[in-house]
Amino acid sequence: MNISKDIIYVGVNDHDIDLFEGQYVVPLGMAYNSYVIVDEKIAVMDTVDARFGDEWLTNIDAVLCGRTPDYLIVQHMEPDHSANIKKFVEKYPNVSVVGNSKTFNMIANFFPDFEISAKTEVKNGETLSLGKHNLTFVFAPMVHWPEVMMTYDDCDKVLFSADGFGKFGANDVEDPEGWDCEARRYYFGIVGKYGAQVQAVLKKAAALDIQVIAPLHGPVLTENIGYYVNKYDTWSSYKPEDEGVSIAYCSIYGNTKKAAEMLYDKLVAKGVEVKIADLAREDIPEAIENAFRFSKLVIAAPTYNADVFPFMRTFLEGLAERGYRNRTIGIIENGSWAPMAAKVMKGILEKCKNITYLENTCKITSAVKESNIAELDAMVEEICK
Ligand code: FEO
């Protein structure tokens, strides 16, 4: 696949992976993107996951037409992109590996038995010329590791964005939900903690004329670049993306579930956009994604071992560690003899900034009663106010 006359896609699709980064389900698979820039000098942008080294090298061979690459540019050292550095340098011993000082420290740590013979160490803002293509390195620390750098090609106006603007899903599988959903789940799962650092990169990117975004995962973005940049601006500034309610619940015997579903039905009847998730049975990263997407969140859980039910703890800790903020939260708790869930849930979210709690709550003692239905009605009224 050609990105431009000189930039060719040489990445791979992974349909065998069960959990990306050891934790994220990826029902549509995963893509590890890599690109070759053919000019007077030839640069290869990143490697791919360890399991795809041979396929990737074959893809590169097909575009080199007998030439040999001059540079391997390492934008990110996480093994899904760096695993084949040694294999590549062994195949092309004259190649110079391009990275920054942090990159080379990480290469030494990941490949202890391997010494790079030729390296080009670059600084933030420095440019490497391939001929027509001048590549400028835009450091993007913590998007998603400290050594990350993006690369801007001023000839074809391409931003190679490392993990930024990435998405779950293989590139040869059509995503029925389009780009947003799996890109959002990827963003909040993987980069969500680093909103300030993403904002810093977006400020640098605003100075560039970007016509193509070439990330390390997911599709190459060639149209409506402003749309994707705006999404990243919203996500990284922790603003709600849509008005609506995300309901996340846990239930042991179905009583808390009943209240959560009643709330869902009442909100839908009022025309509110609502998503609901059973945290024990559905994907928690998806529930986290929806909590960030919507302006309001309702959490519903039973007390368990004088704490909150464990899946809710995992969910809330996932929100807190990603800097969840600027949202309104409603609480439904259940406790048959010593209710603790509401107190524990609020405690986990204590460090989240700018959280407003609904004045109305629903407190269930074992089973949902008429008084609880009135509490749910009051919550709905307050949400819709
Ligand atoms: Fe796609 Fe942070 O690695």
Side-chain angles (χ1 to χ4, degrees), residues 179 192 205 239 312 332 346:
W179 185 84
K239 290 180 202 147
M312 178 59 77
I332 299 172
K346 279 180 127 172

Side-chain angles (χ1 to χ4, degrees), residues 76-108:
H76 184 15
M77 273 303 295
E78 194 163 7
D80 50 337
H81 312 294
S82 69
N84 287 291
I85 291 176
K86 180 173 176 225
K87 192 171 180 132
F88 185 78
V89 173
E90 283 173 352
K91 178 164 184 186
Y92 299 109
N94 294 324
V95 84
S96 184
V97 178
V98 180
N100 55 63
S101 59
K102 291 192 173 78
T103 319
F104 292 114
N105 283 341
M106 288 189 180
I107 290 176

